[in-house]
Amino acid sequence: MESSSVVSELEGTLVKDPDPFSYFMLVAFEASGLVRFVVLLILWPVIRLLDMSGMRDVGLRLAIFVTFVGVHESEIESVSRAVLPKFYMDDLDMEAWKIFSSYEKRVVVTKTPRVMVERFVKEHLRADEVIGRELIVNRFGFATGFTRSEGGSIADRVRLLFEDHPQPDMGLGRIPSGSSFLSTCREQSHPPFIHDQEHNRQFLRPIPVIFHDGRLVKRPVPSTALLIILWIPFGILLAIIRLGIGLMLPMWLIPYISQLFGGKIIVKGKPPPTPPPPGPGSSSGVLFVCTHRTLMDPVVLSTVLQRRIPAVTYSISRISEILSPIPTVRLTRIRHVDAEKIKRELAKGDLAVCPEGTTCREPFLLRFSALFAELTDRIVPVAMNYRVGFFHATTARGWKGLDPIFFFMNPRPVYEVTFLNQLPVEATCSAGKSPHDVANYVQRILAATLGFECTNFTRKDKYRVLAGNDGTVSYISFLDQMKKVVTTFKPFIQ
């Protein structure tokens, strides 16, 4: 459709859930903390009652005020950039998207503050404009909790947007929502949307969410939020017990005891046999090349193999090193220095490496560093994956020292470890393959095993998207580390 245009409501149309309350709960938890999260949940019956009494706008303003008042603008933008897109994408109505994506000019209307949805609809749904409420921010950069609607009503703002163009060709929205902008469109369509072959011919897939941050696994609708709040005290106690088991018990005993406390490890493939003790003339150890899902990857690998396999790391926290039941080898990101470190460790025995250099939660593999392929031909690819119920065990914006604690706070964390065959000599650098070819081959077979997609994204790409930096970690003082604990463990202390 040449020069065609569409204006669509977000809530209840492009995304299935017409109630934005769970997204306010996400912002409250990730940007402020558990106290605000609890207060907002306590007020949910009031907000719901106002909605049912015909005072929907009053209830919405109350939810916005409690969610945002006193939160810094940069923190709101960070959550909107790194956390919310994943949850919006999971709730996307694909039939509505097929219609929306078939038009050239796309405008999204939202009842929430514009900052919450702008990143998602522009970068993932390819929208040109977003019409929503504007948060009022004081001169210190903190949200007041109040909003303003610039340009009058939604219909007036749509007309203003199209004042130099013909009126919108299509309006998508719910009939009960009273979306006044629909009257400005030539045609209207309401959910549920019917599959249309004309739209299907021009169907574009939304741009996937590859990088995602935040601690909550599930979108906190009121019932889920209540479960999370009730579980947290038990989860903290369970995490302490599980960490103690990992630190005090021998490796061979951990799988049996961990099952008593809800943990589960699924092993597929055939692990390589335990090597003989290193000695003069003995070959180097096996290099286990693992996908990187959480900080627990090499620990779980050691648990499965029932021996402590050292792991190379780039930037784990000192707390994580202290809590780690396996030896860790800190790399410098200086190629020749790291190569010598890895060679020395391989001369001592087996070693685990995650060549992505950082974790990725979604079903994608980041680009593999080729360094491992240059150093040995004894390469065993290991596909690692995990499932958790409440809390993610990785973070880009927060303090990484809490990653193992959040992992063990989940009721039933499950790890799946799949051992692939050791690479044949003809697939290694000894047969004349370039290190990059070997790394790409290992990435492809691991992705195929997990059903993931390969990408060329790197650690720097991830941190630019999620944290606004390149992921470089420098030394910080103890006082600064404590400040970071306070700001990043806000879900439990504010």
Side-chain angles (χ1 to χ4, degrees):
M1 293 185 182
E2 188 175 351
S3 300
S4 58
S5 56
V6 61
V7 181
S8 176
E9 188 178 17
L10 180 68
E11 296 83 12
T13 303
L14 283 175
V15 296
K16 299 171 187 174
D17 194 344
D19 186 0
F21 182 79
S22 59
Y23 298 99
F24 292 137
M25 292 290 286
L26 280 167
V27 175
F29 187 88
E30 302 291 352
S32 184
L34 187 61
V35 172
R36 192 185 298 258
F37 187 74
V38 172
V39 169
L40 189 56
L41 181 62
I42 291 172
L43 288 175
W44 175 75
V46 178
I47 296 168
R48 185 65 177 159
L49 183 62
L50 289 170
D51 189 7
M52 295 172 63
S53 302
M55 295 186 285
R56 179 173 300 170
D57 189 64
V58 176
L60 183 61
R61 288 179 181 276
L62 175 61
I64 292 173
F65 180 82
V66 175
T67 301
F68 293 102
V69 63
V71 181
H72 199 276
E73 185 179 23
S74 62
E75 193 68 24
I76 298 169
E77 292 173 350
S78 177
V79 173
S80 301
R81 177 184 67 242
V83 179
L84 297 185
K86 160 69 175 173
F87 293 97
Y88 281 124
M89 184 65 78
D90 287 347
D91 198 36
L92 183 67
D93 186 326
M94 292 305 296
E95 293 303 321
W97 161 252
K98 287 177 182 179
I99 300 173
F100 183 77
S101 65
S102 66
Y103 290 84
E104 186 178 86
K105 182 180 176 73
R106 309 179 189 101
V107 178
V108 172
V109 173
T110 177
K111 64 176 74 173
T112 65
R114 176 186 54 81
V115 67
M116 286 179 63
V117 308
E118 187 169 38
R119 176 88 177 203
F120 168 69
V121 299
K122 286 189 173 181
E123 295 200 0
H124 298 280
L125 302 189
R126 302 181 176 94
D128 299 294
E129 298 291 341
V130 182
I131 297 176
R133 300 167 186 258
E134 299 295 326
L135 282 174
I136 299 175
V137 179
N138 65 24
R139 62 193 180 97
F140 301 106
F142 293 93
T144 62
F146 300 105
T147 62
R148 61 175 177 269
S149 182
E150 297 178 343
S153 68
I154 295 295
D156 291 336
R157 295 172 70 181
V158 171
R159 291 190 190 98
L160 185 63
L161 196 61
F162 286 88
E163 64 178 350
D164 297 326
H165 306 277
Q167 68 183 117
D169 295 287
M170 176 62 77
L172 305 178
R174 294 169 296 133
I175 296 176
S177 68
S179 299
S180 57
F181 72 87
L182 292 176
S183 61
T184 69
C185 304
R186 292 177 182 173
E187 296 181 56
Q188 298 180 18
S189 186
H190 314 288
F193 299 100
I194 301 173
H195 182 74
D196 190 326
Q197 291 297 327
E198 179 185 358
H199 294 130
N200 194 49
R201 284 197 300 271
Q202 304 181 49
F203 171 54
L204 297 172
R205 294 203 65 81
I207 298 173
V209 177
I210 296 178
F211 301 119
H212 166 55
D213 205 31
R215 291 295 188 184
L216 295 183
V217 173
K218 298 178 180 178
R219 184 160 57 95
V221 297
S223 58
T224 302
L226 180 61
L227 281 175
I228 291 171
I229 292 169
L230 295 176
W231 174 255
I232 283 175
F234 299 101
I236 293 174
L237 178 61
L238 192 57
I240 294 171
I241 293 172
R242 287 167 168 168
L243 284 168
I245 289 172
L247 291 172
M248 294 185 294
L249 296 182
M251 277 292 174
W252 65 268
L253 189 57
I254 291 175
Y256 304 102
I257 301 299
S258 63
Q259 291 184 27
L260 299 176
F261 294 94
K264 184 179 181 181
I265 300 176
I266 301 171
V267 181
K268 300 179 180 179
K270 186 178 180 181
T274 303
S282 63
S283 59
S284 65
V286 170
L287 184 63
F288 293 96
V289 178
C290 307
T291 55
H292 203 7
R293 308 301 286 170
T294 77
L295 191 68
M296 299 299 298
D297 295 333
V299 177
V300 173
L301 176 68
S302 295
T303 302
V304 170
L305 295 175
Q306 297 187 4
R307 61 184 189 273
R308 300 182 191 276
I309 308 294
V312 296
T313 67
Y314 285 102
S315 58
I316 67 170
S317 69
R318 295 295 182 187
I319 293 295
S320 296
E321 284 186 320
I322 293 171
L323 294 176
S324 175
I326 63 172
T328 57
V329 181
R330 185 179 286 267
L331 300 184
T332 63
R333 297 191 186 275
I334 302 172
R335 193 174 185 84
H336 69 277
V337 175
D338 293 343
E340 287 302 317
K341 282 189 174 185
I342 293 174
K343 284 180 181 178
R344 285 198 300 268
E345 291 300 322
L346 283 171
K348 300 175 185 176
D350 296 345
L351 186 66
V353 63
C354 299
E356 291 171 276
T358 188
T359 58
C360 182
R361 296 176 181 175
E362 302 306 306
F364 300 92
L365 294 188
L366 308 187
R367 190 175 72 196
F368 277 28
S369 167
L371 178 62
F372 74 90
E374 302 174 11
L375 306 178
T376 182
D377 295 334
R378 301 188 65 194
I379 298 171
V380 174
V382 185
M384 314 285 291
N385 205 0
Y386 79 111
R387 298 191 301 272
V388 289
F390 284 160
F391 306 108
H392 282 296
T394 60
T395 183
R397 298 165 50 253
W399 188 41
K400 296 179 182 297
L402 299 176
D403 286 356
I405 296 173
F406 274 105
F407 177 80
F408 286 120
M409 281 177 62
N410 286 286
R412 290 189 61 83
V414 177
Y415 242 97
E416 188 173 296
V417 183
T418 304
F419 291 93
L420 278 62
N421 293 330
Q422 181 173 318
L423 291 192
V425 175
E426 56 268 22
T428 67
C429 292
S430 294
K433 300 282 186 180
S434 74
H436 291 286
D437 287 341
V438 175
N440 290 340
Y441 172 69
V442 174
Q443 183 197 36
R444 286 196 302 273
I445 61 175
L446 286 172
T449 301
L450 293 169
F452 289 1
E453 292 183 35
C454 295
T455 74
N456 282 319
F457 291 115
T458 65
R459 173 190 174 87
K460 288 186 177 182
D461 295 319
K462 169 185 167 179
Y463 278 85
R464 286 191 188 111
V465 170
L466 299 184
N469 57 57
D470 63 3
T472 301
V473 179
S474 57
Y475 172 77
I476 57 176
S477 68
F478 178 78
L479 179 60
D480 289 336
Q481 290 185 49
M482 290 301 101
K483 289 179 181 178
K484 196 165 187 182
V485 172
V486 171
T487 57
T488 60
F489 203 28
K490 287 182 289 190
F492 296 103
I493 60 177
Q494 281 194 359

